[in-house]
PDB file of all heavy atoms in Angstrom:
ATOM      1  N   PHE K 110      14.206 -12.512  13.524  1.00 98.00           N
ATOM      2  CA  PHE K 110      13.320 -13.302  12.786  1.00 98.00           C
ATOM      3  C   PHE K 110      13.887 -13.475  11.412  1.00 98.00           C
ATOM      4  O   PHE K 110      14.063 -12.551  10.675  1.00 98.00           O
ATOM      5  CB  PHE K 110      12.052 -12.474  12.702  1.00 98.00           C
ATOM      6  CG  PHE K 110      10.894 -13.412  12.127  1.00 98.00           C
ATOM      7  CD1 PHE K 110      10.089 -14.157  12.956  1.00 98.00           C
ATOM      8  CD2 PHE K 110      10.663 -13.429  10.747  1.00 98.00           C
ATOM      9  CE1 PHE K 110       9.064 -14.887  12.483  1.00 98.00           C
ATOM     10  CE2 PHE K 110       9.706 -14.240  10.254  1.00 98.00           C
ATOM     11  CZ  PHE K 110       8.837 -14.933  11.064  1.00 98.00           C
ATOM     12  N   PRO K 111      14.448 -14.817  11.169  1.00 98.00           N
ATOM     13  CA  PRO K 111      15.062 -14.964   9.820  1.00 98.00           C
ATOM     14  C   PRO K 111      14.028 -15.127   8.677  1.00 98.00           C
ATOM     15  O   PRO K 111      12.958 -15.824   8.919  1.00 98.00           O
ATOM     16  CB  PRO K 111      15.799 -16.356  10.034  1.00 98.00           C
ATOM     17  CG  PRO K 111      14.924 -17.017  11.119  1.00 98.00           C
ATOM     18  CD  PRO K 111      14.329 -15.973  11.984  1.00 98.00           C
ATOM     19  N   ILE K 112      14.394 -14.598   7.598  1.00 97.00           N
ATOM     20  CA  ILE K 112      13.511 -14.849   6.359  1.00 97.00           C
ATOM     21  C   ILE K 112      14.548 -15.164   5.291  1.00 97.00           C
ATOM     22  O   ILE K 112      15.699 -14.760   5.321  1.00 97.00           O
ATOM     23  CB  ILE K 112      12.700 -13.660   5.914  1.00 97.00           C
ATOM     24  CG1 ILE K 112      13.488 -12.403   5.569  1.00 97.00           C
ATOM     25  CG2 ILE K 112      11.608 -13.384   6.967  1.00 97.00           C
ATOM     26  CD1 ILE K 112      12.799 -11.344   4.838  1.00 97.00           C
ATOM     27  N   SER K 113      14.204 -15.948   4.317  1.00 96.00           N
ATOM     28  CA  SER K 113      15.095 -16.128   3.235  1.00 96.00           C
ATOM     29  C   SER K 113      14.857 -15.146   2.162  1.00 96.00           C
ATOM     30  O   SER K 113      15.696 -14.373   1.805  1.00 96.00           O
ATOM     31  CB  SER K 113      14.754 -17.622   2.631  1.00 96.00           C
ATOM     32  OG  SER K 113      15.439 -18.576   3.436  1.00 96.00           O
ATOM     33  N   MET K 114      13.674 -15.037   1.669  1.00 94.00           N
ATOM     34  CA  MET K 114      13.380 -13.872   0.774  1.00 94.00           C
ATOM     35  C   MET K 114      12.135 -13.104   1.158  1.00 94.00           C
ATOM     36  O   MET K 114      11.847 -12.001   0.580  1.00 94.00           O
ATOM     37  CB  MET K 114      13.120 -14.449  -0.738  1.00 94.00           C
ATOM     38  CG  MET K 114      14.478 -15.147  -1.253  1.00 94.00           C
ATOM     39  SD  MET K 114      14.292 -15.756  -2.917  1.00 94.00           S
ATOM     40  CE  MET K 114      14.739 -14.227  -3.794  1.00 94.00           C
ATOM     41  N   GLY K 115      11.317 -13.705   1.958  1.00 91.00           N
ATOM     42  CA  GLY K 115      10.052 -13.034   2.476  1.00 91.00           C
ATOM     43  C   GLY K 115       8.970 -12.900   1.493  1.00 91.00           C
ATOM     44  O   GLY K 115       8.173 -12.126   1.631  1.00 91.00           O
ATOM     45  N   ARG K 116       8.939 -13.874   0.471  1.00 86.00           N
ATOM     46  CA  ARG K 116       7.763 -13.845  -0.387  1.00 86.00           C
ATOM     47  C   ARG K 116       6.719 -14.891  -0.053  1.00 86.00           C
ATOM     48  O   ARG K 116       6.034 -15.351  -0.851  1.00 86.00           O
ATOM     49  CB  ARG K 116       8.298 -14.104  -1.858  1.00 86.00           C
ATOM     50  CG  ARG K 116       9.073 -13.037  -2.541  1.00 86.00           C
ATOM     51  CD  ARG K 116       8.895 -13.002  -3.960  1.00 86.00           C
ATOM     52  NE  ARG K 116       9.631 -11.860  -4.600  1.00 86.00           N
ATOM     53  CZ  ARG K 116      10.873 -11.974  -5.029  1.00 86.00           C
ATOM     54  NH1 ARG K 116      11.485 -13.095  -5.110  1.00 86.00           N
ATOM     55  NH2 ARG K 116      11.436 -10.859  -5.511  1.00 86.00           N
ATOM     56  N   ASN K 117       6.669 -15.027   1.171  1.00 86.00           N
ATOM     57  CA  ASN K 117       5.746 -16.081   1.809  1.00 86.00           C
ATOM     58  C   ASN K 117       4.384 -15.513   1.946  1.00 86.00           C
ATOM     59  O   ASN K 117       3.795 -15.513   2.925  1.00 86.00           O
ATOM     60  CB  ASN K 117       6.329 -16.437   3.117  1.00 86.00           C
ATOM     61  CG  ASN K 117       5.837 -17.853   3.573  1.00 86.00           C
ATOM     62  OD1 ASN K 117       5.316 -18.646   2.766  1.00 86.00           O
ATOM     63  ND2 ASN K 117       5.753 -18.087   4.862  1.00 86.00           N
ATOM     64  N   LEU K 118       3.900 -14.968   0.784  1.00 86.00           N
ATOM     65  CA  LEU K 118       2.619 -14.162   0.777  1.00 86.00           C
ATOM     66  C   LEU K 118       1.442 -15.112   1.225  1.00 86.00           C
ATOM     67  O   LEU K 118       1.270 -16.179   0.684  1.00 86.00           O
ATOM     68  CB  LEU K 118       2.487 -13.390  -0.488  1.00 86.00           C
ATOM     69  CG  LEU K 118       3.551 -12.491  -0.832  1.00 86.00           C
ATOM     70  CD1 LEU K 118       3.294 -11.721  -2.042  1.00 86.00           C
ATOM     71  CD2 LEU K 118       3.841 -11.554   0.312  1.00 86.00           C
ATOM     72  N   GLY K 122       4.293 -13.135   4.669  1.00 87.00           N
ATOM     73  CA  GLY K 122       5.436 -12.481   3.921  1.00 87.00           C
ATOM     74  C   GLY K 122       6.657 -12.344   4.723  1.00 87.00           C
ATOM     75  O   GLY K 122       7.125 -13.427   5.155  1.00 87.00           O
ATOM     76  N   ALA K 123       7.293 -11.127   4.833  1.00 88.00           N
ATOM     77  CA  ALA K 123       8.570 -10.947   5.452  1.00 88.00           C
ATOM     78  C   ALA K 123       8.310 -10.715   6.907  1.00 88.00           C
ATOM     79  O   ALA K 123       9.318 -10.444   7.683  1.00 88.00           O
ATOM     80  CB  ALA K 123       9.332  -9.894   4.834  1.00 88.00           C
ATOM     81  N   ALA K 124       7.067 -10.510   7.399  1.00 92.00           N
ATOM     82  CA  ALA K 124       6.853 -10.000   8.695  1.00 92.00           C
ATOM     83  C   ALA K 124       7.290 -10.931   9.926  1.00 92.00           C
ATOM     84  O   ALA K 124       7.221 -12.041   9.804  1.00 92.00           O
ATOM     85  CB  ALA K 124       5.376  -9.649   8.891  1.00 92.00           C
ATOM     86  N   LEU K 135      18.241 -13.072   4.862  1.00 98.00           N
ATOM     87  CA  LEU K 135      19.345 -13.900   4.373  1.00 98.00           C
ATOM     88  C   LEU K 135      19.548 -13.864   2.972  1.00 98.00           C
ATOM     89  O   LEU K 135      20.666 -13.992   2.412  1.00 98.00           O
ATOM     90  CB  LEU K 135      19.132 -15.342   4.915  1.00 98.00           C
ATOM     91  CG  LEU K 135      18.963 -15.585   6.399  1.00 98.00           C
ATOM     92  CD1 LEU K 135      18.027 -16.679   6.704  1.00 98.00           C
ATOM     93  CD2 LEU K 135      20.374 -15.862   6.954  1.00 98.00           C
ATOM     94  N   PRO K 156      19.994 -19.340   1.150  1.00 98.00           N
ATOM     95  CA  PRO K 156      18.625 -18.956   1.333  1.00 98.00           C
ATOM     96  C   PRO K 156      18.104 -17.997   0.190  1.00 98.00           C
ATOM     97  O   PRO K 156      16.887 -17.929  -0.063  1.00 98.00           O
ATOM     98  CB  PRO K 156      18.708 -18.182   2.634  1.00 98.00           C
ATOM     99  CG  PRO K 156      19.746 -18.783   3.411  1.00 98.00           C
ATOM    100  CD  PRO K 156      20.773 -19.179   2.416  1.00 98.00           C
ATOM    101  N   PHE K 160      13.358 -20.095  -7.011  1.00 96.00           N
ATOM    102  CA  PHE K 160      13.058 -21.196  -7.944  1.00 96.00           C
ATOM    103  C   PHE K 160      13.342 -20.632  -9.391  1.00 96.00           C
ATOM    104  O   PHE K 160      13.911 -21.465 -10.161  1.00 96.00           O
ATOM    105  CB  PHE K 160      11.546 -21.555  -7.803  1.00 96.00           C
ATOM    106  CG  PHE K 160      11.244 -22.232  -6.548  1.00 96.00           C
ATOM    107  CD1 PHE K 160      10.769 -21.599  -5.388  1.00 96.00           C
ATOM    108  CD2 PHE K 160      11.448 -23.609  -6.398  1.00 96.00           C
ATOM    109  CE1 PHE K 160      10.542 -22.262  -4.274  1.00 96.00           C
ATOM    110  CE2 PHE K 160      11.212 -24.246  -5.165  1.00 96.00           C
ATOM    111  CZ  PHE K 160      10.724 -23.616  -4.172  1.00 96.00           C
ATOM    112  N   GLY K 184       8.784 -17.001  -7.574  1.00 88.00           N
ATOM    113  CA  GLY K 184       9.830 -15.935  -7.080  1.00 88.00           C
ATOM    114  C   GLY K 184      10.338 -16.205  -5.617  1.00 88.00           C
ATOM    115  O   GLY K 184      11.194 -15.511  -5.240  1.00 88.00           O
ATOM    116  N   GLY K 185       9.682 -17.162  -4.951  1.00 92.00           N
ATOM    117  CA  GLY K 185      10.180 -17.388  -3.560  1.00 92.00           C
ATOM    118  C   GLY K 185      11.458 -18.251  -3.398  1.00 92.00           C
ATOM    119  O   GLY K 185      12.054 -18.647  -4.447  1.00 92.00           O
ATOM    120  N   SER K 186      11.969 -18.326  -2.163  1.00 96.00           N
ATOM    121  CA  SER K 186      13.220 -19.010  -1.914  1.00 96.00           C
ATOM    122  C   SER K 186      12.927 -20.485  -1.903  1.00 96.00           C
ATOM    123  O   SER K 186      12.011 -20.919  -1.294  1.00 96.00           O
ATOM    124  CB  SER K 186      13.819 -18.482  -0.663  1.00 96.00           C
ATOM    125  OG  SER K 186      14.471 -19.492   0.028  1.00 96.00           O
ATOM    126  N   VAL K 187      13.909 -21.260  -2.492  1.00 97.00           N
ATOM    127  CA  VAL K 187      13.786 -22.685  -2.443  1.00 97.00           C
ATOM    128  C   VAL K 187      13.854 -23.111  -0.898  1.00 97.00           C
ATOM    129  O   VAL K 187      13.102 -23.954  -0.435  1.00 97.00           O
ATOM    130  CB  VAL K 187      15.032 -23.430  -3.174  1.00 97.00           C
ATOM    131  CG1 VAL K 187      14.919 -24.856  -3.167  1.00 97.00           C
ATOM    132  CG2 VAL K 187      14.933 -22.950  -4.673  1.00 97.00           C
ATOM    133  N   ILE K 188      14.772 -22.513  -0.196  1.00 98.00           N
ATOM    134  CA  ILE K 188      14.827 -22.835   1.307  1.00 98.00           C
ATOM    135  C   ILE K 188      13.616 -22.397   1.993  1.00 98.00           C
ATOM    136  O   ILE K 188      13.057 -23.208   2.844  1.00 98.00           O
ATOM    137  CB  ILE K 188      16.156 -22.245   1.924  1.00 98.00           C
ATOM    138  CG1 ILE K 188      17.465 -22.997   1.351  1.00 98.00           C
ATOM    139  CG2 ILE K 188      16.146 -22.356   3.440  1.00 98.00           C
ATOM    140  CD1 ILE K 188      18.718 -22.567   1.996  1.00 98.00           C
ATOM    141  N   GLY K 189      13.249 -21.162   1.864  1.00 97.00           N
ATOM    142  CA  GLY K 189      12.049 -20.643   2.609  1.00 97.00           C
ATOM    143  C   GLY K 189      10.867 -21.487   2.306  1.00 97.00           C
ATOM    144  O   GLY K 189      10.122 -21.849   3.361  1.00 97.00           O
ATOM    145  N   ASN K 190      10.546 -21.770   1.050  1.00 96.00           N
ATOM    146  CA  ASN K 190       9.390 -22.591   0.767  1.00 96.00           C
ATOM    147  C   ASN K 190       9.505 -23.999   1.438  1.00 96.00           C
ATOM    148  O   ASN K 190       8.494 -24.456   1.849  1.00 96.00           O
ATOM    149  CB  ASN K 190       9.248 -22.621  -0.757  1.00 96.00           C
ATOM    150  CG  ASN K 190       7.959 -23.377  -1.112  1.00 96.00           C
ATOM    151  OD1 ASN K 190       7.986 -24.613  -1.237  1.00 96.00           O
ATOM    152  ND2 ASN K 190       6.868 -22.695  -1.478  1.00 96.00           N
ATOM    153  N   LEU K 192      11.288 -25.073   3.990  1.00 97.00           N
ATOM    154  CA  LEU K 192      11.235 -24.953   5.390  1.00 97.00           C
ATOM    155  C   LEU K 192       9.846 -24.725   5.869  1.00 97.00           C
ATOM    156  O   LEU K 192       9.311 -25.319   6.980  1.00 97.00           O
ATOM    157  CB  LEU K 192      12.070 -23.950   6.086  1.00 97.00           C
ATOM    158  CG  LEU K 192      13.583 -24.110   5.890  1.00 97.00           C
ATOM    159  CD1 LEU K 192      14.296 -22.888   6.513  1.00 97.00           C
ATOM    160  CD2 LEU K 192      14.014 -25.416   6.585  1.00 97.00           C
ATOM    161  N   ASP K 193       8.974 -24.092   5.064  1.00 96.00           N
ATOM    162  CA  ASP K 193       7.554 -23.846   5.473  1.00 96.00           C
ATOM    163  C   ASP K 193       6.740 -25.089   4.884  1.00 96.00           C
ATOM    164  O   ASP K 193       5.568 -24.967   5.016  1.00 96.00           O
ATOM    165  CB  ASP K 193       7.052 -22.526   4.909  1.00 96.00           C
ATOM    166  CG  ASP K 193       6.217 -21.810   5.906  1.00 96.00           C
ATOM    167  OD1 ASP K 193       6.380 -21.981   7.073  1.00 96.00           O
ATOM    168  OD2 ASP K 193       5.309 -21.014   5.435  1.00 96.00           O
ATOM    169  N   PHE K 249      13.715 -28.181  12.206  1.00 98.00           N
ATOM    170  CA  PHE K 249      14.049 -26.806  11.598  1.00 98.00           C
ATOM    171  C   PHE K 249      12.994 -26.495  10.596  1.00 98.00           C
ATOM    172  O   PHE K 249      13.158 -25.459   9.889  1.00 98.00           O
ATOM    173  CB  PHE K 249      15.476 -26.852  11.174  1.00 98.00           C
ATOM    174  CG  PHE K 249      16.477 -27.165  12.147  1.00 98.00           C
ATOM    175  CD1 PHE K 249      17.114 -28.429  12.130  1.00 98.00           C
ATOM    176  CD2 PHE K 249      16.683 -26.298  13.225  1.00 98.00           C
ATOM    177  CE1 PHE K 249      17.933 -28.685  13.218  1.00 98.00           C
ATOM    178  CE2 PHE K 249      17.535 -26.652  14.252  1.00 98.00           C
ATOM    179  CZ  PHE K 249      18.261 -27.856  14.344  1.00 98.00           C
ATOM    180  N   SER K 252       9.419 -24.078  12.285  1.00 97.00           N
ATOM    181  CA  SER K 252       9.746 -24.008  13.738  1.00 97.00           C
ATOM    182  C   SER K 252      10.518 -22.674  14.024  1.00 97.00           C
ATOM    183  O   SER K 252      10.606 -21.805  13.075  1.00 97.00           O
ATOM    184  CB  SER K 252      10.720 -25.149  14.083  1.00 97.00           C
ATOM    185  OG  SER K 252      12.067 -24.784  13.768  1.00 97.00           O
ATOM    186  N   GLY K 255      16.201 -22.679  14.671  1.00 98.00           N
ATOM    187  CA  GLY K 255      17.513 -22.406  13.997  1.00 98.00           C
ATOM    188  C   GLY K 255      17.318 -21.657  12.711  1.00 98.00           C
ATOM    189  O   GLY K 255      16.245 -21.442  12.267  1.00 98.00           O
ATOM    190  N   ILE K 256      18.531 -21.203  12.219  1.00 98.00           N
ATOM    191  CA  ILE K 256      18.481 -20.544  10.968  1.00 98.00           C
ATOM    192  C   ILE K 256      19.178 -21.426   9.932  1.00 98.00           C
ATOM    193  O   ILE K 256      20.390 -21.710  10.141  1.00 98.00           O
ATOM    194  CB  ILE K 256      19.192 -19.098  11.109  1.00 98.00           C
ATOM    195  CG1 ILE K 256      18.444 -18.232  12.198  1.00 98.00           C
ATOM    196  CG2 ILE K 256      19.240 -18.467   9.833  1.00 98.00           C
ATOM    197  CD1 ILE K 256      19.153 -16.886  12.414  1.00 98.00           C
ATOM    198  N   VAL K 257      18.535 -21.708   8.933  1.00 98.00           N
ATOM    199  CA  VAL K 257      19.088 -22.617   7.902  1.00 98.00           C
ATOM    200  C   VAL K 257      19.911 -21.761   6.876  1.00 98.00           C
ATOM    201  O   VAL K 257      19.424 -20.848   6.261  1.00 98.00           O
ATOM    202  CB  VAL K 257      18.054 -23.398   7.119  1.00 98.00           C
ATOM    203  CG1 VAL K 257      18.594 -24.187   5.913  1.00 98.00           C
ATOM    204  CG2 VAL K 257      17.296 -24.366   8.095  1.00 98.00           C
ATOM    205  N   THR K 258      21.191 -22.063   6.680  1.00 98.00           N
ATOM    206  CA  THR K 258      22.119 -21.274   5.890  1.00 98.00           C
ATOM    207  C   THR K 258      22.422 -22.088   4.661  1.00 98.00           C
ATOM    208  O   THR K 258      22.962 -21.431   3.679  1.00 98.00           O
ATOM    209  CB  THR K 258      23.381 -20.876   6.633  1.00 98.00           C
ATOM    210  OG1 THR K 258      23.842 -22.045   7.373  1.00 98.00           O
ATOM    211  CG2 THR K 258      23.072 -19.763   7.649  1.00 98.00           C
ATOM    212  N   ARG K 502      -0.364 -25.493   7.350  1.00 95.00           N
ATOM    213  CA  ARG K 502       0.498 -24.346   7.348  1.00 95.00           C
ATOM    214  C   ARG K 502      -0.345 -23.181   7.660  1.00 95.00           C
ATOM    215  O   ARG K 502      -1.608 -23.238   7.273  1.00 95.00           O
ATOM    216  CB  ARG K 502       1.003 -24.311   5.872  1.00 95.00           C
ATOM    217  CG  ARG K 502       2.153 -23.288   5.512  1.00 95.00           C
ATOM    218  CD  ARG K 502       2.427 -23.388   4.137  1.00 95.00           C
ATOM    219  NE  ARG K 502       3.408 -22.357   3.659  1.00 95.00           N
ATOM    220  CZ  ARG K 502       3.811 -22.300   2.407  1.00 95.00           C
ATOM    221  NH1 ARG K 502       3.144 -23.011   1.423  1.00 95.00           N
ATOM    222  NH2 ARG K 502       4.724 -21.562   2.036  1.00 95.00           N
ATOM    223  N   LYS K 543       6.752 -17.953  16.485  1.00 98.00           N
ATOM    224  CA  LYS K 543       6.507 -18.730  15.206  1.00 98.00           C
ATOM    225  C   LYS K 543       6.038 -20.107  15.450  1.00 98.00           C
ATOM    226  O   LYS K 543       6.431 -20.861  16.414  1.00 98.00           O
ATOM    227  CB  LYS K 543       7.921 -18.779  14.561  1.00 98.00           C
ATOM    228  CG  LYS K 543       8.039 -19.627  13.254  1.00 98.00           C
ATOM    229  CD  LYS K 543       7.818 -18.846  12.062  1.00 98.00           C
ATOM    230  CE  LYS K 543       7.409 -19.647  10.919  1.00 98.00           C
ATOM    231  NZ  LYS K 543       8.533 -20.510  10.452  1.00 98.00           N
TER     232      LYS K 543
HETATM  233  P1  ADP Z 606       9.743 -17.435   0.474  1.00 78.42           P
HETATM  234  O1  ADP Z 606      10.418 -16.087   0.101  1.00 78.42           O
HETATM  235  O2  ADP Z 606      10.385 -18.651  -0.007  1.00 78.42           O
HETATM  236  O3  ADP Z 606       8.289 -17.477   0.255  1.00 78.42           O
HETATM  237  P2  ADP Z 606      10.319 -16.735   3.266  1.00 78.42           P
HETATM  238  O4  ADP Z 606      11.621 -16.440   3.115  1.00 78.42           O
HETATM  239  O5  ADP Z 606       9.292 -15.792   3.571  1.00 78.42           O
HETATM  240  O6  ADP Z 606       9.875 -17.684   2.073  1.00 78.42           O
HETATM  241  O7  ADP Z 606      10.219 -17.949   4.388  1.00 78.42           O
HETATM  242  C1  ADP Z 606       9.008 -18.441   4.801  1.00 78.42           C
HETATM  243  C2  ADP Z 606       9.264 -18.654   6.311  1.00 78.42           C
HETATM  244  O8  ADP Z 606      10.156 -19.628   6.751  1.00 78.42           O
HETATM  245  C3  ADP Z 606       9.753 -17.386   7.094  1.00 78.42           C
HETATM  246  O9  ADP Z 606       8.719 -16.628   7.594  1.00 78.42           O
HETATM  247  C4  ADP Z 606      10.616 -17.868   8.170  1.00 78.42           C
HETATM  248  O10 ADP Z 606       9.798 -18.076   9.323  1.00 78.42           O
HETATM  249  C5  ADP Z 606      10.955 -19.234   7.599  1.00 78.42           C
HETATM  250  N1  ADP Z 606      12.413 -19.272   7.118  1.00 78.42           N
HETATM  251  C6  ADP Z 606      12.651 -18.861   5.903  1.00 78.42           C
HETATM  252  N2  ADP Z 606      13.956 -19.015   5.639  1.00 78.42           N
HETATM  253  C7  ADP Z 606      14.575 -19.599   6.703  1.00 78.42           C
HETATM  254  C8  ADP Z 606      15.838 -19.898   7.162  1.00 78.42           C
HETATM  255  N3  ADP Z 606      16.817 -19.827   6.266  1.00 78.42           N
HETATM  256  N4  ADP Z 606      16.064 -20.352   8.346  1.00 78.42           N
HETATM  257  C9  ADP Z 606      14.961 -20.476   9.267  1.00 78.42           C
HETATM  258  N5  ADP Z 606      13.785 -20.170   8.923  1.00 78.42           N
HETATM  259  C10 ADP Z 606      13.553 -19.657   7.743  1.00 78.42           C
END
Side-chain angles (χ1 to χ4, degrees):
F110 193 91
I112 60 167
S113 282
M114 297 180 84
R116 287 210 180 99
N117 201 20
L118 300 184
L135 298 149
F160 291 94
S186 144
V187 178
I188 289 187
N190 181 277
L192 292 180
D193 220 28
F249 304 106
S252 83
I256 300 179
V257 174
T258 46
R502 187 182 186 187
K543 172 93 198 290

